[in-house]
Amino acid sequence: MRAPPRLACFPPMLWPGLTPSTPPGDGAGLTLPCGPHLPVAPPDARRASLGIGGRRLPVTGSGRYGPCWLHGPAGGFPAEVTVWIFDDGHFAIEPIGAPPEGLALESIEEVTLGPHLGADARIAAQLLGPLHRVQIGRGALIDTLDGPRPIEMLTPGTRIATLATGPQPLAAALAARGSGRGLAAPYRLAAEAFGNARAMTLPARARLLAPEAPWEAPRPIESFTPHKGLQRAPAPAVDWVILGFSAPQIIAAQGAFLATCPPPMPRRGRAGVSAR
């Protein structure tokens, strides 16, 4: 009889360790240590719940990531995975298709997530766990210790220029795709509008320093409207890069200054999948 599929489960905000790393051949990545491997039942018709370890849990969202890197005792293997997010903040990673030859799913010790493959930006943000994060559209230039670099080429460990604390190491970087319609419609910041050398795309929840008063606290991007250099730019989908830091930061992006957002609070009151 065919064995049921399995996945590795992780508790919300309680990873036993978080290891920034770079998948082979790609710039952005995040390595997660695996928890227990549990049998999985197929999702329901609406993908609203998933059976795990004999229980059925409500699903907040899911997305596919690849290529990723599965690490086991025999070495690392490329693969695609589905990431499941549950309504209490737990998440799970399920390899897609048969495991590479020589790798048993039960032996996977770590998963390194690479760039998105149809993944939702909300799921990528959840995967950053306790990190403070800033989300910027692909193509932006970020100031680093070695000069401006494209955001999609940043790797964990890169020292990012910050306003108050000097160059700070990047803890994680994940690429993701999100909706650009309705309340999620991004803003387009024209070149030179906030001192930035190049036009850039920012999410609706971005926070910036006012160029004429950089000593003031960061403000929500919508508070700067109307502004001739700042326009709402709806789109079917937007490609983002989400940068994670271990503490709050104000980073320099092409001359504009963007503040990180705090990590989301985990939901409480429901039992999830234990990773102990």
Side-chain angles (χ1 to χ4, degrees), residues 144-247:
T144 75
L145 188 61
D146 300 317
R149 294 181 60 188
I151 190 170
E152 57 268 27
M153 299 302 296
L154 298 178
T155 58
T158 301
R159 298 179 70 83
I160 306 298
T162 69
L163 184 63
T165 56
Q168 293 297 313
L170 183 61
L174 283 179
R177 174 167 294 175
S179 170
R181 299 185 184 277
L183 296 177
Y187 285 85
R188 186 68 174 170
L189 189 64
E192 306 296 339
F194 279 60
N196 45 302
R198 181 189 294 184
M200 58 196 304
T201 301
L202 298 173
R205 60 180 176 275
R207 297 188 303 140
L208 301 89
L209 293 184
E212 69 278 6
W215 56 87
E216 296 182 353
R219 291 164 47 186
I221 191 169
E222 64 181 14
S223 71
F224 292 100
T225 57
H227 188 293
K228 65 179 182 179
L230 184 62
Q231 301 291 333
R232 215 69 191 264
V238 184
D239 287 318
W240 303 102
V241 177
I242 307 175
L243 307 178
F245 297 86
S246 59

Side-chain angles (χ1 to χ4, degrees), residues 261-275:
C261 295
M265 294 295 293
R267 298 187 186 186
R268 303 184 182 278
R270 287 200 189 195
V273 179
S274 174

